[in-house]
Every structure is written in structure tokens, then in C-alpha cells.
Amino acid sequence: MTVRLSESDRQAVAAVARIICDGDNFLITTHSTMDGDSVASELALLLRLRRMGKRVVVVNQDPVPRVYQFLPGSGEIQTCDRLGDLTCTAVFVLDCGNLARTGRVKN
């Protein structure tokens, strides 16, 4: 399968890749009231960034629903009320159309 990107899309992908390669600390979040695809997306990115030697924190408004707690790494997902201040290179907001859907995490 070949994916053809416009020049502006190629530049955007390259910019994200540079941020990931150059950065050390990342935060990952998703929408409140998580579902399976949001949890799985967070965990996939968490595991990939960690394999690259990055420090990563996954923070959500809500705890992981019981039905998804079997997923590897799900125990590392924290809620924002249990987290102090963080300094991050970048924040990845996954499976979420706008920041308001992240709930208290956006604060």
C-alpha cells in the first residue's frame, strides 16, 4: 500500500517526527469517558515512545474502564487528579476532536 501525501502533509509529518526525535518528555491523553480505541491508541504510542528511550506519562480525566484493564500498560495510565506539575516536550491528544473533550486534563 502506498500513501501519497501532499507537500504540506509531508512537512507536517516531518515536523512531528523531529519533535519526537529531539524531545525527551511526552504526555499522552485522550477524551474523557475513554473507549477501546482511545485506550489502545494511548498504549500503542506509549510503548513506541518508550522503545525509543523517551520518558512518557499517560494522563486522562477518568480511570481506565475495567473492560480494558487487561491491556498491557493500562496500569500506567494515570488520572489528572493524582498528578503534579509536568514539563513536557510535547503533548499528544489522541482520538479527540477538541481539547474540551479531555476534561480536566486540559488545565
Side-chain angles (χ1 to χ4, degrees), residues 3 8 20 23 31 34-35 40 42 44-46 49 51 53 66 69 84 95 100-101:
V3 177
S8 63
I20 291 171
H31 57 81
M34 296 172 287
D35 51 22
E42 287 181 316
L45 185 56
L46 166 71
L49 290 172
R51 282 190 193 149
R66 183 177 300 264
Q69 290 178 3
D95 191 40
R101 291 193 64 210

Side-chain angles (χ1 to χ4, degrees), residues 22-86:
D22 294 344
D24 293 318
N25 300 299
F26 298 94
L27 185 140
I28 302 170
T29 193
T30 191
H31 57 81
S32 58
T33 316
M34 296 172 287
D35 51 22
D37 58 329
S38 60
V39 174
S41 297
E42 287 181 316
L43 294 175
L45 185 56
L46 166 71
L47 294 173
R48 181 63 188 128
L49 290 172
R50 288 238 174 111
R51 282 190 193 149
M52 295 174 71
K54 309 298 181 177
R55 289 184 294 274
V56 186
V57 177
V58 183
V59 179
N60 295 315
Q61 174 178 294
D62 305 309
V64 176
R66 183 177 300 264
V67 68
Y68 306 119
Q69 290 178 3
F70 74 94
L71 293 169
S74 65
E76 294 191 51
I77 297 176
Q78 303 177 47
T79 56
C80 57
D81 58 335
R82 296 181 47 206
L83 195 67
D85 292 333
L86 295 173

